[in-house]
Amino acid sequence: MSSENFLIITIDSTHLVMKVEKFLVDSGVDVRIIPLPGELKASCGLSLKANIEDAHKILELLIENNIDKNIYNFYLCEKNGFKKNFSTFNF
């Protein structure tokens, strides 16, 4: 069985998910928009998937772009085969 660990970033607005994805990609971050995993809650049905190694850079870019810290969350996804475990990502 294959295993994979990655970041999921939830944001409370579809428009903002697309805006954040654009400035992250423009800044060289490997990120993509995915459907919000059913295990997580947000007011938007989309989320961002990114590499764990980029967490600090993503946070810095969110702050630089004046994205309100109360509307996004970082989660660690540990995926083993079809089983996914989510936890709050700690910096």
Side-chain angles (χ1 to χ4, degrees):
M1 237 186 319
S2 66
S3 66
E4 177 185 16
N5 294 340
F6 52 88
L7 281 179
I8 294 290
I9 304 157
T10 62
I11 303 174
D12 287 348
S13 155
T14 301
H15 172 76
L16 204 49
V17 168
M18 293 186 289
K19 176 182 174 181
V20 169
E21 188 246 2
K22 180 174 179 0
F23 73 66
L24 291 176
V25 168
D26 289 349
S27 298
V29 177
D30 183 20
V31 63
R32 68 174 201 228
I33 297 174
I34 63 167
L36 180 70
E39 297 89 345
L40 300 176
K41 301 290 181 228
S43 20
C44 168
L46 299 175
S47 60
L48 296 170
K49 180 180 179 181
N51 296 318
I52 295 168
E53 298 80 22
D54 291 327
H56 289 284
K57 182 175 183 178
I58 293 169
L59 183 59
E60 286 175 16
L61 288 165
L62 289 168
I63 293 166
E64 284 175 19
N65 284 275
N66 299 313
I67 305 299
D68 184 349
K69 67 179 180 180
N70 295 311
I71 63 169
Y72 60 83
N73 293 293
F74 284 71
Y75 296 94
L76 171 63
C77 178
E78 299 170 292
K79 183 177 176 186
N80 276 318
F82 294 109
K83 184 175 169 52
K84 291 185 259 181
N85 184 33
F86 294 92
S87 57
T88 302
F89 183 77
N90 296 311
F91 286 89

